[in-house]
Amino acid sequence: FNTTVVTQNIDNLHERAGSKNIIHLHGEVTKVRPENCRADEEGVIDIGYRDINIGDCDKNGVQLRPHIVWFGEAVPKIEAAIDAVEAADVLLIAGTSLQVYPAAGLYAYAKAGTPIYIIDPNDVSVRDGRITHIREVATKGMQVFVNDILPKL
């Protein structure tokens, strides 16, 4: 299977878990960029888990800032996420309450007939006939998906 992970998380846990094709909607805390650059521009620097401080500047003397999307800022990777959802043969949603937009609306871009699975132990407010709700915590829900659903797809 080809898998694309679309995440709102800013940690690098998906990379550490071995995932390869990751779209970070809200940026990455292990990277910085100059304050005068948008998140989708060049100039992003991988710093790992080092601190960033006032006075830490790029080669042009511009203050560096975390490479993350603050509340109210545009989500530059949303178009890439939409493209991934539109291309998906199966959509699996886990680890989100579907309350934070624009990511919460991504499922709606799945093409007609695409099965959508949401893993969440709680009620979800999304109503779509393509959705199968797996009412489990993420770890157990992933086991259900891999063992019971995936082999039938």
Side-chain angles (χ1 to χ4, degrees):
F1 291 100
N2 292 326
T3 303
T4 300
V5 175
V6 178
T7 184
Q8 297 178 95
N9 295 338
I10 60 170
D11 53 35
N12 72 341
L13 293 181
H14 289 291
E15 287 86 352
R16 290 168 51 194
S19 299
K20 300 292 182 211
N21 190 15
I22 306 165
I23 299 171
H24 288 276
L25 290 178
H26 293 163
E28 301 172 70
V29 75
T30 57
K31 297 179 179 178
V32 296
R33 68 177 188 264
E35 284 183 326
N36 62 351
C37 290
R38 293 189 333 248
D40 58 344
E41 295 179 340
E42 292 185 27
V44 176
I45 303 163
D46 192 334
I47 64 165
Y49 288 100
R50 286 193 345 231
D51 289 340
I52 183 169
N53 300 293
I54 302 279
D56 291 344
C57 299
D58 72 355
K59 63 184 179 197
N60 298 315
V62 178
Q63 175 66 47
L64 295 172
R65 62 163 278 181
H67 180 56
I68 59 173
V69 175
W70 301 114
F71 284 103
E73 291 182 329
V75 177
K77 300 279 184 162
I78 196 69
E79 292 298 328
I82 289 169
D83 291 346
V85 171
E86 287 176 336
D89 294 321
V90 176
L91 187 61
L92 174 63
I93 302 168
T96 180
S97 63
L98 292 177
Q99 299 296 311
V100 178
Y101 284 85
L106 283 171
Y107 79 92
Y109 290 94
K111 62 186 174 272
T114 300
I116 302 170
Y117 298 89
I118 296 178
I119 299 173
D120 194 305
N122 304 308
D123 289 334
V124 293
S125 60
V126 175
R127 302 291 177 252
D128 187 309
R130 300 172 293 173
I131 293 175
T132 300
H133 185 179
I134 302 169
R135 292 181 180 272
E136 299 286 352
V137 296
T139 51
K140 174 70 174 154
M142 286 301 294
Q143 290 173 344
V144 169
F145 180 79
V146 169
N147 295 331
D148 300 340
I149 298 170
L150 193 58
K152 297 175 186 174
L153 294 176

